[in-house]
Amino acid sequence: MDLKNNLLKTLSGEESDVVPVISVTQVGVVEAMEKTGAFWPEAHQDADKMAALGSSLYELAGLECARIPFCLTVEAEALGCQVDLGTNERTPQISRTPFTSASDINVPSDFVEKGRIPVVLEAVKKLKDKYGDTLPIIVGITGPFTLAGHLLGVENLVRYMKIKPNEIEDAVENTLDACMDYVEALMDVEPDVICVAEPTAAPELIDPLQFKSMVKPSLEDLSNFIKTSKVLHICGSTQPIISDMASIGYDGISVEEKVDIKMAKEELGKGGRVIRTGGRTMSMGGGSTSKIIGNISTTQTLFRSTPEEVKAEVKRALEDGVDVLAPSCGLAPLSPIENIKAMVEARNEYFGI
């Protein structure tokens, strides 16, 4: 199977060979680090190790993509935040920010030459050189709203939305500029998919009206700027904002297990087009709406359940009509590789391949 073409056709709404099984979120797990010698935190800073770990679950478990980087602190660091790079079991975190207001946020002209951005760009080149057109390369970036939260502090961000909404609008306008500069640099190295992660826009943190008025416009601008396949990931119970997520312009929307796939597809008016594979009929959606990506639990199923339980959840998601099979969020570093293998095997069993 042509893995890259299969994914891109699915995201573009064309009839594809089979439901792809990928991850648009972080893929670094300790077991893969041990097998490849590409450990955190070094793999956050070294392009060779980043590329090796980013493709490790393709090599070791059959996951149908390579995905880098492994955190959402790359842009904030390049803008001047201090980052704790963590351990082999903990992802990087912002440890200090120099920003106290939106007016402090300034995107330097050499932004894409700072911090780890050059490492990510070089790792994409290495993955492209190694896999060519056989494997889709996915790069994750931080959305403008979440990046504003990294710079100002998430608590301040949520508080300012109520008492200083103009401050948030200014901050997001500035971080959108940074996102666009980063995307422009990525376009030069030609990843196949860009995943914009906006975890701070989860309904558990802001209400749907705030999402519509204060987050959605910047995501629309960013979507229009990205000239390749693109995915939007938002954590949590995103059922209340599914329609808004799908109307922004991204080819796929990545959702967690809290979202009911059947209800989401009904809400988006999906259905209509079907494919028959391995004796099964599979709804693949129709029209120009975003494809639904997900939503195998990372906190429970892929992290601590048995392979048999993984397969059962995968088959339920396929029955519900998920367009692209994937973990619901970033993989926990101690997730076992056998559970990722089980996810791929379950997809193969479902379609008789």
Side-chain angles (χ1 to χ4, degrees):
M1 179 176 24
D2 184 336
L3 301 181
K4 176 178 173 179
N5 193 46
N6 189 58
L7 175 61
L8 297 183
K9 285 173 67 176
T10 300
L11 289 176
S12 67
E14 299 177 51
E15 186 171 312
S16 55
D17 296 330
V18 68
V19 170
V21 53
I22 64 166
S23 179
V24 297
T25 50
Q26 105 75 17
V27 297
V29 298
V30 172
E31 190 178 349
M33 297 178 202
E34 294 169 345
K35 291 180 182 296
T36 62
F39 287 88
W40 290 347
E42 293 82 6
H44 299 304
Q45 299 176 296
D46 181 286
D48 287 307
K49 291 181 178 180
M50 181 177 288
L53 187 59
S55 58
S56 62
L57 294 184
Y58 165 67
E59 299 287 355
L60 299 171
L63 196 69
E64 295 171 352
C65 70
R67 200 279 189 189
I68 57 170
F70 314 107
C71 70
L72 293 177
T73 63
V74 171
E75 299 93 331
E77 183 183 48
L79 286 170
C81 291
Q82 289 184 3
V83 173
D84 173 2
L85 289 176
T87 68
N88 67 337
E89 296 183 13
R90 179 170 61 82
T91 56
Q93 299 175 346
I94 307 296
S95 58
R96 191 187 72 82
T97 174
F99 304 101
T100 57
S101 68
S103 60
D104 294 334
I105 301 171
N106 177 56
V107 184
S109 59
D110 60 348
F111 167 62
V112 297
E113 300 171 13
K114 292 180 174 292
R116 286 170 285 146
I117 290 179
V119 177
V120 176
L121 299 176
E122 184 62 24
V124 174
K125 294 178 185 177
K126 291 179 179 296
L127 289 166
K128 298 286 284 189
D129 287 344
K130 181 173 183 179
Y131 295 107
D133 289 330
T134 63
L135 188 71
I137 310 303
I138 302 172
V139 175
I141 69 171
T142 311
F145 185 71
T146 296
L147 181 54
H150 286 168
L151 302 185
L152 299 177
V154 174
E155 290 184 2
N156 287 334
L157 186 75
V158 174
R159 183 164 56 90
Y160 288 169
M161 290 184 76
K162 297 178 180 178
I163 64 174
K164 297 181 179 180
N166 290 339
E167 180 85 1
I168 298 306
E169 290 177 4
D170 291 344
V172 171
E173 183 177 341
N174 291 337
T175 55
L176 176 60
D177 288 340
C179 293
M180 287 181 170
D181 285 353
Y182 190 16
V183 165
E184 190 170 26
L186 284 169
M187 290 297 93
D188 290 338
V189 295
E190 300 181 328
D192 300 298
V193 179
I194 290 177
C195 177
V196 178
E198 279 284 27
T200 309
E204 288 85 346
L205 292 175
I206 64 173
D207 67 47
L209 289 177
Q210 289 174 318
F211 177 80
K212 186 186 291 285
S213 64
M214 305 190 75
V215 181
K216 186 176 176 180
S218 65
L219 288 173
E220 288 176 331
D221 289 342
L222 188 57
S223 174
N224 291 332
F225 193 76
I226 299 173
K227 305 305 180 185
T228 188
S229 294
K230 52 209 168 189
V231 170
L232 173 64
H233 174 81
I234 300 179
C235 300
S237 302
T238 52
Q239 206 92 41
I241 59 172
I242 283 290
S243 292
D244 279 316
M245 288 175 66
S247 69
I248 293 173
Y250 291 83
D251 301 300
I253 54 174
S254 170
V255 299
E256 291 195 358
E257 66 271 17
K258 296 175 182 178
V259 172
D260 185 297
I261 297 294
K262 282 185 177 179
M263 288 178 60
K265 288 180 75 72
E266 289 173 3
E267 188 171 349
L268 300 184
K270 291 194 173 185
R273 184 169 65 84
V274 298
I275 61 171
R276 293 184 180 276
T277 308
R280 294 183 180 273
T281 299
M282 184 74 183
S283 173
M284 296 299 290
S288 60
T289 51
S290 299
K291 304 299 173 283
I292 295 180
I293 301 171
N295 62 342
I296 308 307
S297 169
T298 52
T299 57
Q300 178 61 42
T301 309
L302 292 172
F303 177 38
R304 61 180 81 246
S305 296
T306 66
E308 290 72 25
E309 290 169 324
V310 172
K311 288 186 175 183
E313 187 166 325
V314 166
K315 291 175 181 177
R316 285 195 297 271
L318 291 170
E319 291 286 356
D320 288 346
V322 72
D323 296 299
V324 178
L325 188 67
S328 64
C329 198
L331 291 172
L334 292 177
S335 300
I337 287 178
E338 67 174 356
N339 280 355
I340 311 303
K341 286 183 178 178
M343 186 168 67
V344 179
E345 290 169 357
R347 189 282 311 269
N348 292 346
E349 292 168 5
Y350 186 89
F351 286 100
I353 59 176

